[in-house]
Amino acid sequence: NGVPRAHTGTKSSAMYVPDGAAENIYATHKGNLQHIYGLGQTLSLNDKKTYTMKFWYYRPAKLWQNKENNVQKIMAGIVSSTGATKETDYTYEQEFVLSKTDEWTECTITFNLPEIIKENPGKSFEKCAIFINIVPETDPANANKTKRCLVNIDDVSMHVVE
């Protein structure tokens, strides 16, 4: 809504989906919109450890021009990479349904890398990326054009589970 938001400090990252984008813009991602808009960070993790990623989100109820914020959920996860093709990469993700409280809310996702690798032999997270994505909402009554969505993300951290 044009007001800077931060959980701590003075700034946060804002993920925004405009209203009125036609479905043909997303035609190659139909049914997979949760992977279009987001934040990501590459990093190197130890395949023998478990990690917890924490972050805070803020979902304002109203946006500029006093329009409704239609965002309902975000996705967070990790993508493995061994430098191979995209077909050999593996994504572990979790969906978070957002509260409509106009307050900062903490989210936690755990990456049990030994278990993930056990279930997906050959994968590695020594070269990987973590992500947080906004999931666009579309309006079936308006030719499946996107609805206005915004969420702020702040204080992302990654910790080894001891």
Side-chain angles (χ1 to χ4, degrees), residues 87-160:
E87 289 77 19
T88 63
D89 287 344
Y90 173 76
T91 300
Y92 176 86
E93 62 190 350
Q94 181 176 331
E95 179 181 279
F96 293 89
V97 176
L98 305 181
S99 63
K100 296 181 181 182
T101 61
D102 268 340
E103 295 177 4
W104 284 98
T105 304
E106 186 178 34
C107 292
T108 301
I109 182 171
T110 300
F111 305 119
N112 184 332
L113 299 186
E115 279 298 313
I116 293 171
I117 292 169
K118 181 179 174 184
E119 293 174 11
N120 302 277
K123 304 304 178 198
S124 174
F125 295 89
E126 290 178 6
K127 292 180 182 178
C128 64
I130 55 171
F131 63 88
I132 303 168
N133 296 344
I134 190 171
V135 180
E137 293 294 319
T138 57
D139 185 358
N142 188 18
N144 281 323
K145 291 183 177 179
T146 55
K147 295 180 180 182
R148 188 175 290 193
C149 298
L150 180 136
V151 67
N152 294 77
I153 303 292
D154 205 359
D155 296 327
V156 179
S157 63
M158 186 77 110
H159 304 279
V160 175

Side-chain angles (χ1 to χ4, degrees), residues 21-48:
E23 185 180 21
N24 63 343
I25 293 172
Y26 307 113
T28 58
H29 299 285
K30 191 169 181 158
N32 200 22
L33 291 178
Q34 71 271 20
H35 295 134
I36 292 180
Y37 296 96
L39 307 169
Q41 175 66 52
T42 59
L43 65 161
S44 179
L45 300 176
N46 183 328
D47 287 338
K48 296 181 170 130

Side-chain angles (χ1 to χ4, degrees), residues 78-92:
I78 190 168
V79 179
S80 71
S81 179
T82 57
T85 64
K86 66 179 182 175
E87 289 77 19
T88 63
D89 287 344
Y90 173 76
T91 300
Y92 176 86

Side-chain angles (χ1 to χ4, degrees), residues 28-70:
T28 58
H29 299 285
K30 191 169 181 158
N32 200 22
L33 291 178
Q34 71 271 20
H35 295 134
I36 292 180
Y37 296 96
L39 307 169
Q41 175 66 52
T42 59
L43 65 161
S44 179
L45 300 176
N46 183 328
D47 287 338
K48 296 181 170 130
K49 297 193 181 227
T50 297
Y51 295 85
T52 299
M53 180 172 78
K54 294 184 179 190
F55 60 93
W56 291 80
Y57 75 83
Y58 181 84
R59 183 209 175 276
K62 296 284 185 180
L63 300 175
W64 52 97
Q65 300 170 338
N66 205 31
K67 288 195 174 183
E68 293 293 318
N69 186 358
N70 294 288

